[in-house]
Amino acid sequence: DITQHYVFVEEAVDRLEAFIKEQQPIDAIVSFSQGSLITNILMAALQRKSLPITWRLNVFFCGGWIRDPNYTFLESCPLPTVQITGGKSDPYFIGGEPSLEPYFPNLLRIEHDDGHVFPTSQPRA
């Protein structure tokens, strides 16, 4: 369990929220690594403000775990979410990336062995 202290979070959340509003309607957010993290922080912020999440699906590649308790979810989020992890070869998650199931009970988790990248090896590519 690693706890971190994030900086410049509000600026990143504001930019992502503005982009989503400009592009609506959005069916799914597909993100990689820190993009998945900031998407989760945005959803947690919307949850704290009792505001709706306006998209219908998350697809997270290699990331999304919030390690700063100041920005995490207060309760689980029902939004369907796909988590694609880089397996034990992902250098950012020693032993493999933890499941996002505590955040998303409606989670589909897929693992590949290519590390902290989009999968390129068969059969997961």
Side-chain angles (χ1 to χ4, degrees):
D1 185 30
I2 299 172
T3 301
Q4 297 177 341
H5 176 72
Y6 300 150
V7 294
F8 305 113
V9 171
E10 289 76 15
E11 293 91 338
V13 167
D14 289 347
R15 290 182 71 187
L16 178 58
E17 189 172 20
F19 180 78
I20 289 169
K21 285 179 181 176
E22 290 170 9
Q23 301 300 316
Q24 285 182 345
I26 293 177
D27 290 323
I29 291 185
V30 179
S31 56
F32 177 79
S33 193
Q34 290 183 347
S36 303
L37 168 66
I38 201 65
T39 301
N40 274 346
I41 291 174
L42 171 59
M43 287 188 293
L46 292 170
Q47 182 187 77
R48 283 191 296 280
K49 296 176 187 174
S50 298
L51 295 174
I53 296 170
T54 58
W55 58 97
R56 300 185 303 174
L57 173 73
N58 297 312
V59 180
F60 295 148
F61 286 86
C62 301
W65 195 257
I66 302 170
R67 294 179 171 172
D68 185 332
N70 295 311
Y71 298 103
T72 196
F73 289 92
L74 299 176
E75 57 187 45
S76 64
C77 177
L79 197 67
T81 299
V82 180
Q83 178 188 21
I84 300 103
T85 72
K88 289 184 171 71
S89 58
D90 187 331
Y92 295 100
F93 300 100
I94 296 174
E97 184 175 352
S99 174
L100 293 173
E101 192 170 10
Y103 299 155
F104 303 101
N106 192 3
L107 179 74
L108 171 62
R109 184 176 159 90
I110 301 169
E111 188 171 306
H112 63 84
D113 294 321
D114 292 339
H116 200 79
V117 297
F118 287 100
T120 57
S121 298
Q122 293 298 332
R124 298 283 188 210

